[in-house]
Amino acid sequence: MTKKAENKNPNKKNQNSSSHIVSKLIFISAALIGLLSFYIYNIITIPPEVPQFDLNQWWGPYPIDLNRDLSIRPFTIEFTDVIINDLRERLLHRREFTPPLEDAGFTYGFNSNFLTQVLDYWQNKYNFKDREQFLNRYNHFKTNIQGLDIHFVHVKPQVSNHIHVIPLLMLHGWPGSFREFYEMIVKLARPHPSYNFVFELIIPSLPGFGYSEAPVRPGFGPAEMAVVIRNLMRRIGHERYYVHGGDAGHIVGSVMATLFQDEVLGFHTNMPVLMYHPLATAYTLLGSIWPSLIVEKELESRLYPLSQHFQRHLEESGYIHIQATKPDTIGAALTDSPTGLAAYILEKFSTWTNYEYKKAADGKLLMKYSLTHLLDNVMIYWATNSITTSMRLYSEACSKRNLALKLDQIPTNVPTWGIKFKHELIFQPDSLLRLKYKNYLHSTIVEDGGHFAALEMPDLLADDVFEAVDTFMEFHSGKNLKQETQVQPNYETAKTIYEFTVRNINGKDVKLDRYKGHVLVIVNVASQCGLTDTNYEQLNELYERYAISKGLRILAFPCNQFSGQEPGTHREIFNFAKKRNVKFDVFEKVDVNGDNAHPLWKFLKRTQSGTFGDFIKWNFSKFIIDKNGVPVERFGPNVNPIDLEPHLVKYW
């Protein structure tokens, strides 16, 4: 027994020793995994240092001209007879196209049958001299920045002294140009009925695009471009300003908001995305399992399922790979052929406006745009021979040198506002955008529109810029932009509507004293009422007649208390109003009757009682408010808005 017991002891010792070794290995492995995880976590979450750039780096040809002209020089766009005749000759002698496949639409690229119509229009119906005059309707200039002649459009509004003029830098993308913003200029450079400021617009051609010179050596990426544009603003005389951008303009604008946080007062973008942020990628993947973690339910389809969106991005991103690797190769073909240039650029205006348009034989290009406007943009690329240099930006943006800067991972405190169009190429929820934009204040959600929003929906985009900049100014004034319950006055003792605060359709608090000196119509509205069509149409008509000439303002309050005829969310109501081309001010949905009625409406009913009691009878009850903020007349739903004219006249 003793010997047997002694014989067992060595095995037991060996087992204990093996267990001890395994325990050590497990402990060491766990420690290594913990350290590796901590290292990876730090890499992902600790932002990189802000890179330093030479703000005077020379990008022109050597030797440096020390006596170069640094003045701001007037510039005129000219489509010379040489350019026009050469273009027409090339279009006339183009080769016969390969016929498209049956029912292929734009799925194989630009449909050659429709391309023939486009080119015939360009050759025979596009009025070159008329479009030249159109492009020159605003003042153009050039000035030399860091060795490059930079072109820009400069629009200075002429307004009265009580209207503030605010500098706004507008940055286009690819394959766009300064031309994209022309329909917005009219809206932005004249007073908006709802705001006491207007914009001085600076719209450059990005270096290498259009009439701005391109760098002559490698290394000119988005950051270097941002430095040039920042120096342009300083040359013009603006050390602090607001920025709007989309596509490449978003990328450059974002870099400016990162590198020059003391100069950029606010950043508005119609393509709010983080292109290279590891946490954003990780959260997006995690959200594919649990979408509600990162995106609102009503917007989930814009991001998930990932497989569906990834397939679309893969299908539509071939141009990126070409332009990021061999831009000069494709550039040679497009430089030599106006046919190729038009097809290459305009195909993007089809599919990027709405992915479904590719199924149509004409790409539905004329559903949102006119051929004249589209060819204006193509003509700028052709006349300036800038397609190759514009595409080089992709090569520089995707270079190891530029990616190593990790600019999307560097936070910025510049207040930021995004507008998200339904068919934009990339969608990211606000939760991800706030990884970089620490003061990301708001996203406007639009159930229409695509990548070229400035050309497709200029009125809507311009209105959003106004509201964003108004919010930016509140941010800088120190007002609390977090929406908290407002202390409302006692409706029984209030004297004017100016004492009340309401919320607009985007959830922003609005003190009604902003309407001092204006005659107002306040009305409760609904989207699904039998009176909706007539009232919305005539309210718009009233506003368009008298907003500028008489200072009329219309305040519309959605209400769902009458047979549930305003059931939508705030976003749905916003989109309904935009589809109706509503110009007047729309606010958040409220109750107008009962204990939960908004205090403003309790005040309106107290001061202007109805025929059968003070309660609101139905949708589209209307109150006229005089210039002192006092309710003076009330009208029932049966009175059409246009019939208010003789009553409003008394209070102008």
Side-chain angles (χ1 to χ4, degrees), residues 41-57:
Y41 176 81
N42 281 342
I43 289 178
I44 292 176
T45 58
I46 297 178
E49 295 290 326
V50 179
Q52 300 299 310
F53 292 90
D54 180 358
L55 301 183
N56 297 302
Q57 186 172 1

Side-chain angles (χ1 to χ4, degrees), residues 158-324:
Q158 302 297 318
V159 294
S160 58
N161 292 333
H162 71 280
I163 299 292
H164 301 290
V165 178
I166 295 172
L168 175 65
L169 172 67
M170 303 187 75
L171 302 174
H172 65 79
W174 186 94
S177 65
F178 66 89
R179 167 63 185 91
E180 288 180 68
F181 298 121
Y182 264 47
E183 281 69 30
M184 285 183 69
I185 290 175
V186 179
K187 296 277 293 184
L188 295 172
R190 69 182 183 190
H192 190 291
S194 299
Y195 305 98
N196 68 341
F197 60 89
V198 72
F199 295 106
E200 175 188 344
L201 302 173
I202 299 93
I203 309 174
S205 293
L206 297 178
F209 290 71
Y211 294 95
S212 285
E213 281 189 321
V216 301
R217 60 188 61 86
F220 191 84
E224 291 75 17
M225 188 173 286
V227 171
V228 169
I229 299 300
R230 175 261 187 185
N231 288 340
L232 170 67
M233 293 299 286
R234 292 222 161 193
R235 177 73 55 79
I236 293 170
H238 295 303
E239 296 187 0
R240 306 194 79 194
Y241 44 87
Y242 297 90
V243 178
H244 162 79
D247 191 79
H250 161 79
I251 295 172
V252 174
S254 181
V255 174
M256 294 181 72
T258 302
L259 299 182
F260 308 113
Q261 297 189 34
D262 293 334
E263 300 179 28
V264 177
L265 294 169
F267 177 42
H268 181 274
T269 170
N270 61 279
M271 197 184 81
V273 296
L274 301 177
M275 301 299 293
Y276 306 106
H277 197 298
L279 267 183
T281 302
Y283 288 150
T284 300
L285 293 173
L286 179 62
S288 64
I289 302 171
W290 195 350
S292 61
L293 284 176
I294 68 167
V295 64
E296 303 94 322
K297 182 66 176 177
E298 60 268 28
L299 298 175
E300 184 180 318
S301 63
R302 297 195 182 191
L303 186 57
Y304 299 112
L306 274 179
S307 58
Q308 177 181 323
H309 291 280
F310 179 75
Q311 180 180 349
R312 178 167 62 90
H313 293 323
L314 188 63
E315 184 178 339
E316 294 301 322
S317 60
Y319 79 99
I320 294 178
H321 192 76
I322 294 173
Q323 293 174 193

Side-chain angles (χ1 to χ4, degrees), residues 455-638:
L455 196 61
E456 181 187 356
M457 306 181 79
D459 289 354
L460 191 154
L461 187 56
D463 285 344
D464 201 66
V465 170
F466 266 107
E467 185 166 7
V469 171
D470 187 54
T471 304
F472 294 155
M473 289 192 290
E474 284 191 8
F475 176 89
H476 290 297
S477 71
K479 292 183 180 179
N480 183 11
L481 293 177
K482 292 181 180 179
Q483 301 300 323
E484 299 174 351
T485 302
Q486 292 291 327
V487 178
Q488 299 283 6
N490 186 333
Y491 73 92
E492 292 183 340
T493 58
K495 302 297 183 185
T496 73
I497 68 159
Y498 303 146
E499 301 171 52
F500 296 89
T501 299
V502 295
R503 254 174 213 174
N504 69 13
I505 195 64
N506 290 318
K508 177 182 170 186
D509 287 328
V510 177
K511 190 82 184 324
L512 292 182
D513 61 1
R514 73 182 295 172
Y515 294 101
K516 281 184 176 179
H518 294 280
V519 175
L520 311 178
V521 173
I522 297 180
V523 54
N524 62 305
V525 299
S527 303
Q528 300 178 12
C529 177
L531 302 174
T532 298
D533 289 344
T534 299
N535 275 268
Y536 266 94
E537 180 181 337
Q538 292 190 11
L539 286 168
N540 249 350
E541 187 178 347
L542 266 185
Y543 185 83
E544 289 172 348
R545 284 187 191 179
Y546 300 117
I548 300 297
S549 62
K550 300 297 183 182
L552 175 68
R553 300 292 180 266
I554 297 173
L555 285 58
F557 289 84
C559 178
N560 195 41
Q561 288 186 294
F562 305 103
S563 297
Q565 294 180 346
E566 188 69 284
T569 64
H570 297 314
R571 282 178 180 161
E572 289 170 339
I573 295 170
F574 171 85
N575 288 316
F576 173 84
K578 289 304 179 185
K579 286 181 180 178
R580 295 273 176 156
N581 199 27
V582 166
K583 301 292 199 305
F584 49 84
D585 296 339
V586 181
F587 295 85
E588 272 193 356
K589 188 156 56 175
V590 298
D591 283 355
V592 297
N593 288 328
D595 294 338
N596 293 326
H598 192 285
L600 170 66
W601 282 85
K602 291 181 179 181
F603 170 71
L604 294 172
K605 293 186 294 184
R606 178 182 69 80
T607 53
Q608 288 294 319
S609 181
T611 305
F612 301 105
D614 64 1
F615 65 94
I616 302 298
K617 312 305 185 297
W618 196 249
N619 304 307
F620 300 102
S621 295
K622 306 163 188 74
F623 293 83
I624 293 179
I625 316 298
D626 69 13
K627 290 184 177 182
N628 298 313
V630 177
V632 287
E633 295 192 50
R634 172 175 173 169
F635 301 88
N638 59 313

Side-chain angles (χ1 to χ4, degrees), residues 1-9:
M1 293 289 292
T2 304
K3 287 182 179 180
K4 287 182 180 180
E6 287 176 354
N7 290 337
K8 288 180 180 179
N9 285 338

